[in-house]
Amino acid sequence: MGPVGPEIKAMNLPKPGKYGGQDDLEKFDDWVHQLLKYYRMFKVTGPNQDDDRVLYTGLFLEGIASKWYNQEIESPDRRTLYWSFEDLICGLFKCFVHEASAQNAANQYNWTRFNHEKGALAFYNDLRHCAYQMVQPPDDYSFKQKFIHGLPHSIIKTIFEARRISAEHSTIEEILDEVQ
């Protein structure tokens, strides 16, 4: 690990949780984000730290994910001799997060609807969250269309027709500025 300042040591930061091989895209994604934040805080970053990240990641696994790690990464008779951190995360994903979980993200994206109590920004954030979880996220144009067509007619008529905002000619930032 790189040198950590006294302010980081004094903070007594929590460690990432352990991933146990659940077939749950959101749990896997949250675990990876916790792990990456932890590594950034303790400066276990960059290409020179790749071996350390692979080694330390094994400490944040449990159950069948830990068994997979021991067999595939640590075992003397493993099939792949060198694992990069990226290969490790992709290997865990391929082994434990199955197509059904990935399909759930696409379904959630398709089922996301505008909520009058939450407003347009919350609708955008919900769509963006679901799109981020998808194996093949929508392109920018398709996302803008889904967002615009999901808004209530009153917003579309007032804002988009009067100001000539469209999915074809406007950025998502311009669209968001108009609906807020």
Side-chain angles (χ1 to χ4, degrees), residues 25-178:
L25 182 61
E26 194 151 346
K27 282 185 181 179
F28 182 80
D29 195 45
D30 288 345
W31 173 75
V32 169
H33 279 89
Q34 287 177 25
L35 198 61
L36 292 173
K37 284 181 196 174
Y38 188 75
Y39 290 162
R40 278 194 312 268
M41 289 298 295
F42 288 99
K43 301 180 190 313
V44 187
T45 59
N48 294 340
Q49 300 290 325
D50 208 47
D51 290 342
D52 291 336
R53 282 191 300 276
V54 170
L55 179 65
Y56 300 154
T57 298
L59 301 172
F60 301 109
L61 298 171
E62 63 185 3
I64 59 173
S66 180
K67 288 178 184 173
W68 178 89
Y69 177 90
N70 291 336
Q71 179 181 336
E72 297 294 326
I73 311 296
E74 293 290 316
S75 175
D77 56 340
R78 63 190 179 267
R79 285 182 276 157
T80 303
L81 292 179
Y82 173 78
W83 285 80
S84 69
F85 177 69
E86 182 179 352
D87 293 338
L88 168 59
I89 297 301
C90 289
L92 285 165
F93 181 87
K94 287 177 187 172
C95 187
F96 298 109
V97 181
H98 298 99
E99 195 172 313
S101 286
Q103 184 60 43
N104 287 342
N107 290 339
Q108 278 186 305
Y109 176 81
N110 290 330
W111 295 332
T112 300
R113 300 288 180 256
F114 179 86
N115 180 320
H116 287 280
E117 292 175 12
K118 292 181 177 181
L121 187 57
F123 176 51
Y124 166 80
N125 287 330
D126 290 346
L127 278 177
R128 187 53 76 196
H129 175 76
C130 292
Y132 175 75
Q133 302 256 327
M134 294 168 67
V135 173
Q136 180 64 49
D139 59 58
D140 288 343
Y141 175 72
S142 299
F143 182 85
K144 290 185 288 187
Q145 271 198 316
K146 168 92 172 139
F147 178 67
I148 290 170
H149 293 291
L151 293 170
H153 184 71
S154 58
I155 292 177
I156 294 171
K157 186 164 180 65
T158 306
I159 306 284
F160 295 106
E161 290 177 6
R163 300 231 168 75
R164 300 200 184 270
I165 296 288
S166 68
E168 292 81 7
H169 302 292
S170 307
T171 66
I172 192 65
E173 291 79 15
E174 292 169 335
I175 296 168
L176 285 172
D177 284 345
E178 293 298 327

